[in-house]
Amino acid sequence: MFLVVLPFLVLVFVFSYLPLLGWVTALYDYKPALGLGGSEFVGLQWFEILVSSETQLQQIGQVLANTLAMSFLGIATSLLPVFFAMLLNEVRSTWFRNTVQTLTTLPNFISWVLVYMIAFSLFSTSGLVNTTLHDWGLITVPMKFLDTDQHVWLTMLAWSLWKGLGWGAIMYLAAIAGIDQSLYESARIDGANRFQLMRYITFPQLMPTYVVLLILSIASILNNGMEQYFVFQNAFNREHIQVLDLYVYNIGMTGNSLSMATALSMLKSLISLALLIAANAIAKRARGTSII
Amino acid sequence: MTTMDTGPHWRHARGDIPFAIINYAGFLLFALVCGYPFYYLIINSVSANDISALGDVRLLPVGLHLSNYEQILGLPGLTSSLLVSIARTVIGTGATVLASAFLGFMFTQERLQNRSLWYRLVIFTMYFNAGLIPVYVTIHTLGLTNNFWVYILPAIVQPFNIILVKTYVESLPQSLQEAAELDGAGIVTIFFRIMLPNMTPILATVAIFSAVAQWNSFQDTLLYVTDQRLYPLQYTLYTYLNQANSLAQAAQNAQGNLGAIVSAATTQTPTSIRMTVAVIVVLPIIFVYPLFQRYFVKGIMLGAVKG
């Protein structure tokens, strides 16, 4: 019985657990060409370097600030899909609701490369927005929306909302459809109006789903992923766009400091693990079941 | 299409009409913000290239022509990228659908010793990974860099898909399997003959999720592949984007004003190349998505229940 699932477990082991062995490269000055045997053992040197110099500390501090800022902005706007769903539920025309749903969830299914491609078409110095403003005589010099270090965090938030808001609301729409209708009926008999129904019935009914997702997002506060930030990064915005995942990529794959990048991602994984365990404990308390 | 309950029918009350107007207007605006960029790409890819390069195509195509699509196939690497994208989508989706079906089913079987341990080990990988560089080193050591199978093998076992299938199988009547067991069918027979045909709705969901993920994937190429023959469309679009970007930038610096690239209507410009490739990349999604929307929705609902 076990033998038939073994091949799949091997895949999981090889691609998810075996790399943990790679953590030892953090203790070496690892050069891929030389292999681990040929690389020099340096002990905790990389961890010391991470916190040794003023400039290094500053850089790490900035990267952490970016990471946490993006995560907290995401958490701060995590109620938007709830409101989106509640308001869309108030739309009576079925075809209008379905059209809105289709159009607003579409961006979720394109890659970040394509999102950047769209951003470039619309917001580059020769893009739609600049040419339109120029034709209307509102500007004479093209505005730099992409090649700038201004409001990077907010711009990134805006793009992830553009991509994810409609999709995020789908789950809540489904949850609304599942709310016991007798709750509404009895409230209406008591004279509740539309807004009171939303406030006192729909919203509280959605909270359990919301809380679970919130707990999960706290557990992954250091994991922004790198794709979005990678495609949007350029020489101008680098300081404020580098989140931890992108920074690890930048120093490891392009800066060729594999060992230091490993040291950093190892710390990140450990902290994330601690956060996950904490989140799991909270979830267990809040709803009786664990998330893993 | 998702058919949500229309909700209770409200009695008209004061404030309903203004609320409805604002509500409709708000959603109309956001739907436009989401949908217009796609429309913009499409009309620009079929407009006269000298005009699209100026950014003057906004509402309707200008100088309609389809020669961009004929010419684009002549671009270096585009045909092979298209083939790579199709191959990884087809093979990757097939493999992960089968694996998810099988594992999702097996994890419901009490005969599998330590099944909850194996299940947890698999699900845990959804939340935890060793990190970018250690995974890179592992894949490099396995000889999977610059190898087509790097697109397939790591993506076969997807915890989320397995949760979906397992939840679905648990909702099927036990009697299905018991009857087959009484007839003396083995586990493999039960899986292929009995369970697989009964799982099709959830497998459709899994298939559509993983097909989109494979089609859109970009990061694995960035990390593990430098051989241009193995670039999928997304990555090729990215390289064109960067080249087009620098081209446009250089042209602008030289001319010092907006949209200085002027050429005949069908001569390729950075803009026309970008737009056309982008449309080729996005078109399958636009066509497939509305048809399969209900499967996506079902997937996220089931996933949310289990978290």
Side-chain angles (χ1 to χ4, degrees), chain A residues 1-2 4-5 8-9 11-12 14-20 22-23 25 30 32 84 87-94 96-98 100-107 109-111 113-114 116-118 120-122 125-126 128 130-132 134-135 142 147 161-162 165-167 170-171 173-174 177 181 184 188 194-195 197-198 216 223 226-227 230-231 245 248-249 252-253 258 261-262 265-266 269 273 276 287 291-292, chain B residues 1-2 4-6 8-12 16 19 23-24 27-28 30-31 33-38 40-41 54-58 99 102-103 106 111-113 118 120-125 127-140 142 144 153-154 156-157 187 209 212 216 218-219 222-223 234 237-238 241 245 249 252 258-259 274-275 278 281-282 285-286 289-290 293 296-297 300-301 304-307:
Chain A
M1 209 31 93
F2 174 67
V4 288
V5 294
F8 300 103
L9 294 179
L11 280 177
V12 174
V14 165
F15 292 112
S16 297
Y17 292 104
L18 194 60
L20 288 173
W23 280 5
T25 52
Y30 181 68
F84 187 103
L87 290 172
L88 190 59
N89 191 53
E90 298 298 318
V91 168
R92 262 185 256 171
S93 153
T94 314
F96 184 84
R97 211 169 46 218
N98 285 337
V100 167
Q101 242 184 54
T102 305
L103 286 175
T104 56
T105 46
L106 189 56
F109 293 96
I110 62 169
S111 65
V113 177
L114 211 63
Y116 180 69
M117 158 74 220
I118 285 171
F120 186 82
S121 307
L122 299 182
T125 45
S126 60
L128 175 77
N130 267 314
T131 51
T132 307
H134 186 259
D135 289 359
D147 298 343
L161 283 177
W162 180 78
L165 181 55
W167 180 245
I170 290 258
M171 195 167 17
L173 277 165
Q181 288 302 311
Y184 290 106
R188 233 169 300 136
R194 178 205 290 261
F195 302 104
L197 294 180
M198 284 165 76
L216 274 179
N223 309 319
M226 60 169 268
E227 270 197 61
F230 176 83
V231 293
D245 286 319
V248 166
Y249 172 83
M253 305 297 282
L258 280 174
T262 308
S265 52
M266 187 175 149
S269 290
L273 186 62
L276 180 66
R287 60 163 197 171
I291 44 182
I292 40 171
Chain B
M1 259 334 88
T2 44
M4 300 291 174
D5 183 27
T6 38
H9 290 281
W10 315 103
R11 254 172 277 137
H12 282 286
D16 270 8
F19 170 77
N23 204 19
Y24 274 82
F27 279 114
L28 187 66
F30 190 62
V33 167
C34 287
Y36 175 73
F38 296 96
Y40 180 75
L41 293 182
L54 292 169
D56 281 345
V57 181
R58 285 162 202 166
F102 187 63
L103 287 178
M106 286 306 292
R111 283 179 285 174
L112 177 66
Q113 302 92 332
W118 304 128
R120 273 161 193 250
L121 274 178
V122 172
I123 301 308
F124 186 59
T125 63
Y127 302 102
F128 177 81
N129 68 73
L132 192 81
I133 307 296
V135 174
Y136 169 79
V137 172
T138 309
I139 286 193
H140 183 75
L142 290 169
L144 282 172
L153 295 178
I156 290 181
V157 179
I187 197 86
F209 269 123
V212 170
N216 281 340
F218 160 80
Q219 197 172 323
L222 176 72
L223 292 173
Q234 300 285 346
L237 173 65
Y238 179 74
L241 190 55
N245 194 345
Q249 217 67 48
Q252 267 163 38
L258 283 167
R274 270 191 280 112
M275 300 285 180
V281 170
V282 82
I285 305 262
I286 294 183
Y289 180 60
Q293 198 180 4
F296 289 107
V297 173
I300 197 166
M301 280 163 61
V305 176
K306 288 302 275 187

Side-chain angles (χ1 to χ4, degrees), chain B residues 219-233:
Chain B
Q219 197 172 323
D220 44 15
T221 311
L222 176 72
L223 292 173
Y224 312 125
V225 176
T226 49
D227 183 347
Q228 293 193 3
R229 288 169 305 173
L230 291 175
Y231 284 176
L233 268 185

